[in-house]
């Protein structure tokens, strides 16, 4: 039985769709469909039933799925144990990122990582629903590591802090409040707002702050990144209350008087099953690259805690892996 057939089975079971599974595996739909059919013939059972547009596991499929996952996890562990040193690391790491925010010097991290581990392919992925979508992808196994800005991440994840960003108020230069040093959310209650879309960590925090005040605000535009919020606020479309990413803009920036927690961005990975060695190594490199950020007003952000990510344990097997792999990597943040 080929490993790829089990990978296709697990991917379709996770996604509930051949189309999404094919996208996850970087394969053609016909290849995934043919793989499922082949696996069903080999096992002599049907694994899925079609319900409308979704694929649902049969009883046999539900019984076999945990065993398929266990086989794949065991094979991954075997590859880790067969790796003698870091230069022999191989495999794939899927990293979920924010494309419009420099959380760390990610391009530098990836450049050095690829130089040291040319047999590891790093794939960069994004989500249209921001941190919420990335965390869902992480829990579903669609990515191996992900940036997270959720104030309360779900259980089963290990999250290492990378950066803290305080909320500030952005307006057009000629806005009536532009000459103020600070402003409260209550004073902004009647203003039109520009904000990020639902699911972004900063949107979750700000919505919670307005809910506590009993204020229902009017949002006139939703963006998929924070710099766009600041640009449109500077253009006079509305006010923007977002963490300060330090981008240049032509508007005014005011301190927020309310006690809104800063956006705390961290690197998240699943606690179980244990990530492969390549994933743990890249996670270690990203956490090591974090630095204290200096906002535009010159005040230094608070230093973050020491890392607690799983250590990269030394291999138990002295044998060198002989399996071939192509050097691969991503040159774009999406």
């Amino acid at each position: 039985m080929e490993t790829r057939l089990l990978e296709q089975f697990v991917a379709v079971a996770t996604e509930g769709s051949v189309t999404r599974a094919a996208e996850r595996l970087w394969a053609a739909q016909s290849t995934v469909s043919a793989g499922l059919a082949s696996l069903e013939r080999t096992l002599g059972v049907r694994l899925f039933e079609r319900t409308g547009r979704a694929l649902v596991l049969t009883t046999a499929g539900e019984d076999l799925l945990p065993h398929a996952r266990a086989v794949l996890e065991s094979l991954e562990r075997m590859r880790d144990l067969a790796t003698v040193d870091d230069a022999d690391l191989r495999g794939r790491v899927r990293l979920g990122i924010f494309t419009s925010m420099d959380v760390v010097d990610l391009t530098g991290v990836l450049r050095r990582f690829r130089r040291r581990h040319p047999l590891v392919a790093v794939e960069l992925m994004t989500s249209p629903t921001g941190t919420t979508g990335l965390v869902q992808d992480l829990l579903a196994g669609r990515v191996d590591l992900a940036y997270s800005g959720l104030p309360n991440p779900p259980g089963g994840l290990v999250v290492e802090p990378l950066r803290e960003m305080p909320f500030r108020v952005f307006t057009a230069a000629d806005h009536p409040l532009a000459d103020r040093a600070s402003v409260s959310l209550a004073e902004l209650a009647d203003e039109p707002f520009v904000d990020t879309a639902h699911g972004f960590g900063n949107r979750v925090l700000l919505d919670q702050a307005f809910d506590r005040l009993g204020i229902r605000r009017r949002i006139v535009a939703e963006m998929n990144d924070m710099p766009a919020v600041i640009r449109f606020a500077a253009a006079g479309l509305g006010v923007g209350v977002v963490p300060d990413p330090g981008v240049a803009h032509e508007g005014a920036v005011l301190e927020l008087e309310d006690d809104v927690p800063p956006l705390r961005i961290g690197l998240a990975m699943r606690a179980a099953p244990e990530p492969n060695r390549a994933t743990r190594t890249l996670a270690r490199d990203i956490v090591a690259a974090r630095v204290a950020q200096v906002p535009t007003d010159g005040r230094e952000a608070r230093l973050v805690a020491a890392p607690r990510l799983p250590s990269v344990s030394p291999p138990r097997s002295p044998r060198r892996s002989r399996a071939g792999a192509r050097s691969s990597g991503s040159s774009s943040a999406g």
Side-chain angles (χ1 to χ4, degrees):
M1 185 181 299
E2 296 182 51
T3 302
R4 66 177 179 84
L5 301 183
L6 297 180
E7 292 174 342
Q8 292 164 356
F9 170 42
V10 171
V12 174
T14 301
E15 301 293 342
S17 161
V18 171
T19 301
R20 290 195 297 272
E23 292 173 352
R24 171 177 167 178
L25 296 170
W26 296 82
Q29 285 183 240
S30 58
T31 300
V32 176
S33 295
L36 284 181
S38 176
L39 185 59
E40 288 178 331
R41 287 193 301 271
T42 300
L43 297 174
V45 295
R46 293 191 65 181
L47 299 173
F48 294 95
E49 296 282 359
R50 182 171 292 281
T51 303
R53 300 180 64 181
L55 288 175
V56 179
L57 285 166
T58 62
T59 301
E62 291 177 348
D63 291 340
L64 292 168
L65 180 60
H67 297 287
R69 285 184 167 139
V71 169
L72 294 175
E73 290 164 11
S74 295
L75 289 172
E76 191 69 44
R77 182 63 176 157
M78 288 175 64
R79 294 188 188 101
D80 276 359
L81 293 174
T83 301
V84 175
D85 54 45
D86 281 355
D88 291 333
L89 278 182
R90 62 187 67 232
R92 178 181 66 166
V93 182
R94 298 161 299 174
L95 172 62
I97 64 169
F98 306 147
T99 58
S100 61
M101 188 188 307
D102 292 328
V103 180
V104 299
D105 178 20
L106 187 59
T107 55
V109 170
L110 294 179
R111 185 186 306 114
R112 293 187 293 271
F113 184 87
R114 186 176 183 182
R115 187 182 304 126
R116 292 195 305 269
H117 314 294
L119 302 181
V120 178
V122 178
E123 298 170 3
L124 302 181
M125 301 182 177
T126 62
S127 172
T129 53
T131 190
T132 299
L134 289 178
V135 168
Q136 290 172 348
D137 288 342
L138 182 59
L139 291 171
R142 289 186 284 268
V143 298
D144 305 300
L145 297 168
Y147 287 161
S148 171
L150 291 180
N152 299 298
L157 298 181
V158 177
V159 182
E160 281 303 319
L162 294 176
R163 183 179 180 185
E164 288 190 2
M165 302 169 64
F167 279 81
R168 292 194 169 90
V169 181
F170 296 86
T171 72
D174 58 355
H175 191 280
L177 296 171
D179 293 332
R180 294 266 299 270
S182 64
V183 67
S184 69
L185 293 178
E187 292 177 282
L188 299 173
D190 295 328
E191 295 283 344
F193 274 80
V194 184
D195 208 338
T196 51
H198 284 286
F200 283 67
N202 58 287
R203 176 69 181 267
V204 172
L205 287 167
L206 193 61
D207 283 349
Q208 290 174 348
F210 275 111
D211 287 344
R212 288 193 294 269
L213 294 171
I215 296 174
R216 187 184 183 91
R217 58 181 174 142
R218 180 167 61 95
I219 298 176
V220 296
E222 293 184 334
M223 306 295 169
N224 281 330
D225 62 72
M226 285 193 290
V229 171
I230 295 172
R231 289 196 303 271
F232 279 89
L237 187 62
V239 298
V241 181
V242 293
D244 188 353
V247 299
H249 60 89
E250 298 179 354
V253 57
L254 295 76
E255 294 297 322
L256 184 62
E257 296 174 0
D258 300 76
D259 187 20
V260 178
L263 177 64
R264 296 182 173 93
I265 301 172
L267 181 69
M269 70 164 61
R270 293 184 299 278
E274 184 182 24
N276 64 31
R277 192 176 177 196
T279 298
R280 301 196 310 272
T281 301
L282 179 58
R284 180 195 62 194
D285 289 356
I286 292 173
V287 171
R290 62 190 175 186
V291 294
Q293 301 292 325
V294 181
T296 53
D297 64 357
R299 297 184 307 170
E300 189 169 325
R302 204 171 57 173
L303 288 173
V304 292
R308 303 185 314 276
L309 285 171
S311 61
V312 181
S313 56
R316 299 177 185 174
S317 170
R319 293 180 57 191
R320 183 178 298 272
S321 173
R322 296 182 179 179
R326 293 174 61 86
S327 173
S328 178
S330 175
S331 60
S332 171

